[in-house]
Amino acid sequence: MKEFNFEKELLGVQDELFRFAYKLTANREKAEDLLQDTLLKAMLHKESYNKNTNFKGWLFIIMRNTFINGYRAEVGHTRLYISSDPAYYSRIMDESRREEVDKNYDLEKIRNAIKSVPESHFIPFEMYLSGFKYREIAERTGVSLGTIKSRIFHCRKKLKAILAE
């Protein structure tokens, strides 16, 4: 039985790892970065590899998890912040910026839609849009989780209906 050489085996699967990284990222530079991160993590955690497990499978799992964690971090940094005052939207728009508004919606219609939603529904909806999880909204507002989910659902439904007309 031949002796297992970690570094030699790692170099032997680089091409397959790169192809997998490219499938995940669809970008050559990002795939190279992902490959490099995967190889680095494998080297750092070399002692945790069990010689009775599939080496390639172990590396592919490291790469997949690295990709998923990177994606989550990237999405987490692109949160949208919305002011908690529903009237905020009507104050920030003036005639000089009117052309920035999507041509499909009338500014007055958007203002009226926001004003028509009760504040008890709009605040959780706004927090949800800002990136808070349902449970976090419930904890911060002191309202039950089911009620928060319901309010967000009904607020979204009402705004869609008003803006779809």
Side-chain angles (χ1 to χ4, degrees):
M1 189 162 157
K2 96 177 181 183
E3 191 173 321
F4 181 80
N5 183 329
F6 189 89
E7 288 80 15
K8 187 176 180 183
E9 294 294 322
L10 191 61
L11 291 173
V13 295
Q14 267 189 310
D15 290 339
E16 292 176 72
L17 285 170
F18 179 76
R19 284 192 292 277
F20 183 59
Y22 191 78
K23 281 182 183 179
L24 291 172
T25 62
N27 178 304
R28 185 170 186 78
E29 289 177 11
K30 287 183 180 181
E32 289 170 354
D33 290 342
L34 181 58
L35 175 64
Q36 186 176 14
D37 290 344
T38 302
L39 296 176
L40 179 63
K41 286 181 182 181
M43 291 297 292
L44 290 172
H45 301 286
K46 176 180 174 177
E47 61 281 342
S48 69
Y49 172 69
N50 181 352
K51 290 182 174 70
N52 296 328
T53 59
N54 180 344
F55 184 67
K56 272 200 276 188
W58 183 71
L59 291 170
F60 278 90
I61 288 171
I62 291 173
M63 180 173 280
R64 184 199 64 200
N65 291 344
T66 302
F67 173 75
I68 290 169
N69 291 338
Y71 176 78
R72 285 181 181 155
E74 189 176 308
V75 169
H77 287 93
T78 58
R79 296 281 184 214
L80 176 64
Y81 177 76
I82 299 176
S83 171
S84 61
D85 178 13
Y88 168 80
Y89 301 101
S90 60
R91 287 194 306 266
I92 63 166
M93 292 298 184
D94 61 4
E95 292 304 313
S96 65
R97 295 180 61 210
R98 193 169 189 85
E99 63 274 357
E100 292 179 17
V101 177
D102 189 348
K103 303 279 188 242
N104 296 331
Y105 294 111
D106 180 27
L107 181 58
E108 195 62 34
K109 193 175 194 179
I110 293 171
R111 286 182 187 146
N112 291 335
I114 291 171
K115 288 178 186 176
S116 72
V117 176
E119 191 173 338
S120 63
H121 285 64
F122 185 75
I123 290 174
F125 177 70
E126 170 185 54
M127 290 174 76
Y128 178 75
L129 287 178
S130 297
F132 288 96
K133 306 277 189 242
Y134 290 124
R135 189 169 308 287
E136 294 172 324
I137 298 168
E139 289 169 0
R140 288 178 185 232
T141 59
V143 178
S144 72
L145 183 62
T147 303
I148 291 297
K149 288 180 179 180
S150 175
R151 287 180 180 176
I152 291 171
F153 170 78
H154 288 294
C155 183
R156 181 185 300 134
K157 187 176 173 182
K158 185 170 186 169
L159 288 173
K160 274 185 181 180
I162 291 169
L163 296 174
E165 292 173 359

